[in-house]
Amino acid sequence: MNSPAHPLAATLLALALAAPLATPLTAAAQSRIPSLDRDDHLGEVGRAARQKAIERFDSADANKDGKLSREEVNARPYLNDNFDQLDKNRDGFLDWEEFIGHNRWKKE
């Protein structure tokens, strides 16, 4: 008999074995986006990256409406080629969070 007699026991065993694998992946994914409130080198990197993203977003936003249309990103190969995947809410525009790919940096 290779499986536990009770289905709940099998489920709990599978969850217990998978939990240690999931935690490091989640922590690693979150740590790739530097926090802006840090007072160290990573904070400086985050603030510089955010500023560069703001400059790129603003330069692409030709009509200054705070969102990017397909026409506005036409000259930017990555955004143009991946527009449909980046437009998460399918409204035909890329807002700030869709442009940077996360919601940890506010555009103010």
Side-chain angles (χ1 to χ4, degrees), residues 88-99:
K88 300 295 184 193
N89 62 3
R90 305 288 185 240
D91 66 352
F93 297 94
L94 299 181
D95 62 26
W96 169 248
E97 290 179 1
E98 291 169 331
F99 177 77

Side-chain angles (χ1 to χ4, degrees), residues 19-91:
L21 298 174
T23 303
L25 294 176
T26 302
Q30 290 177 354
S31 66
R32 291 183 183 162
I33 303 167
S35 176
L36 302 178
D37 59 355
R38 294 178 63 130
D39 290 330
D40 59 4
H41 178 69
L42 288 177
E44 291 174 22
V45 169
R47 288 185 291 277
R50 177 183 167 272
Q51 185 57 42
K52 187 71 169 174
I54 288 172
E55 292 168 6
R56 288 181 178 171
F57 184 89
D58 288 346
S59 72
D61 187 12
N63 63 1
K64 305 302 179 208
D65 64 353
K67 56 189 176 183
L68 305 178
S69 67
R70 188 176 294 276
E71 293 77 28
E72 288 173 317
V73 302
N74 192 33
R76 292 169 165 76
Y78 176 80
L79 294 175
N80 188 47
D81 294 347
N82 297 288
F83 192 90
D84 292 330
Q85 292 81 18
L86 297 170
D87 183 15
K88 300 295 184 193
N89 62 3
R90 305 288 185 240
D91 66 352

Side-chain angles (χ1 to χ4, degrees), residues 1-6 9-10 13:
M1 185 184 307
N2 292 338
S3 63
H6 196 281
L13 178 62

